[in-house]
C-alpha cells in the first residue's frame, strides 16, 4: 500500500502543471495572495487568444524558473473568454507550462481587480498589493519582487 501511494505521488509530481489546474473563486484567489510565509506573490492573468499574453507567459516562465523558490508564482486564465476550459487545458499541456495554472471560469478574478483587459499582473509584497495592467517582463518582475 505504501508503494502505491509513493508511485501515485511521483506520477502527480512529474505530470505537467495543468494537473493542478482548478477553478479559481474570489475566496481562493485571496488565499493565494495572502501566503503566510511572507514570500512575494506574483499572479498573471491571461488568455490563449491574446498574443501579448503569450509573451507575458514566456516572461513569467523565465521568472518562475529563476526565482520560483523565493516567490509564489501563479497564472490565472480568463477561462470565461475562452472557447472552453478543455481548450485551455490542452494549450497548457502542449505548452508544457511549469507555472501553476488556475481557471477563472466566471470572470470573478478580473472583476475583483477591476480589470477589463488582459494581460494584467498582481504583485503582493510586504502586505501591499499592486495591480499592473498590460504586459510585464522578467526584469520588471524581478525588480518588483526583490
Amino acid at each position: 500500500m505504501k508503494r502505491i501511494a509513493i508511485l501515485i505521488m511521483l506520477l502527480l509530481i512529474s505530470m505537467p502543471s495543468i494537473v493542478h489546474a482548478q477553478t479559481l473563486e474570489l475566496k481562493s484567489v485571496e488565499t493565494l495572495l495572502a501566503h503566510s510565509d511572507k514570500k512575494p506573490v506574483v499572479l498573471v492573468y491571461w488568455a490563449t487568444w491574446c498574443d501579448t499574453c503569450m509573451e507575458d507567459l514566456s516572461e513569467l516562465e523565465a521568472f518562475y524558473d529563476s526565482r520560483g523558490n523565493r516567490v509564489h508564482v501563479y497564472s490565472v486564465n480568463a477561462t470565461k473568454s475562452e472557447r472552453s476550459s478543455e481548450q485551455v487545458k490542452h494549450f497548457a499541456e502542449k505548452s508544457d507550462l511549469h507555472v501553476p495554472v488556475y481557471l477563472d471560469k466566471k470572470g470573478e478574478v478580473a472583476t475583483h481587480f477591476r480589470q477589463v483587459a488582459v494581460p494584467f499582473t498582481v504583485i503582493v509584497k510586504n502586505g501591499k498589493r499592486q495591480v499592473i495592467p498590460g504586459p510585464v517582463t522578467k526584469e520588471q518582475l524581478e525588480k518588483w519582487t526583490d
Side-chain angles (χ1 to χ4, degrees), residues 4 6 32 51 85 102 135 140:
I4 293 173
I6 291 170
L32 290 178
D51 292 336
S85 57
Y102 291 85
Q140 287 173 314

Side-chain angles (χ1 to χ4, degrees), residues 55-73:
E55 294 170 22
D56 245 25
L57 277 181
S58 295
E59 294 289 324
L60 184 66
E61 281 286 314
F63 173 75
Y64 180 75
D65 289 342
S66 70
R67 300 271 176 109
N69 61 341
R70 295 179 294 197
V71 179
H72 294 287
V73 181

Side-chain angles (χ1 to χ4, degrees), residues 34-102:
H35 277 289
S36 61
D37 63 6
K38 306 301 180 199
K39 289 181 186 178
V41 178
V42 174
L43 182 148
V44 172
Y45 195 83
W46 58 279
T48 61
W49 47 262
C50 168
D51 292 336
T52 306
C53 296
M54 297 300 99
E55 294 170 22
D56 245 25
L57 277 181
S58 295
E59 294 289 324
L60 184 66
E61 281 286 314
F63 173 75
Y64 180 75
D65 289 342
S66 70
R67 300 271 176 109
N69 61 341
R70 295 179 294 197
V71 179
H72 294 287
V73 181
Y74 306 103
S75 70
V76 178
N77 175 265
T79 314
K80 183 178 179 181
S81 70
E82 302 281 5
R83 288 185 189 152
S84 70
S85 57
E86 291 305 314
Q87 178 232 354
V88 176
K89 290 178 183 180
H90 177 73
F91 169 82
E93 288 170 352
K94 187 176 90 178
S95 302
D96 192 31
L97 294 174
H98 300 117
V99 175
V101 176
Y102 291 85

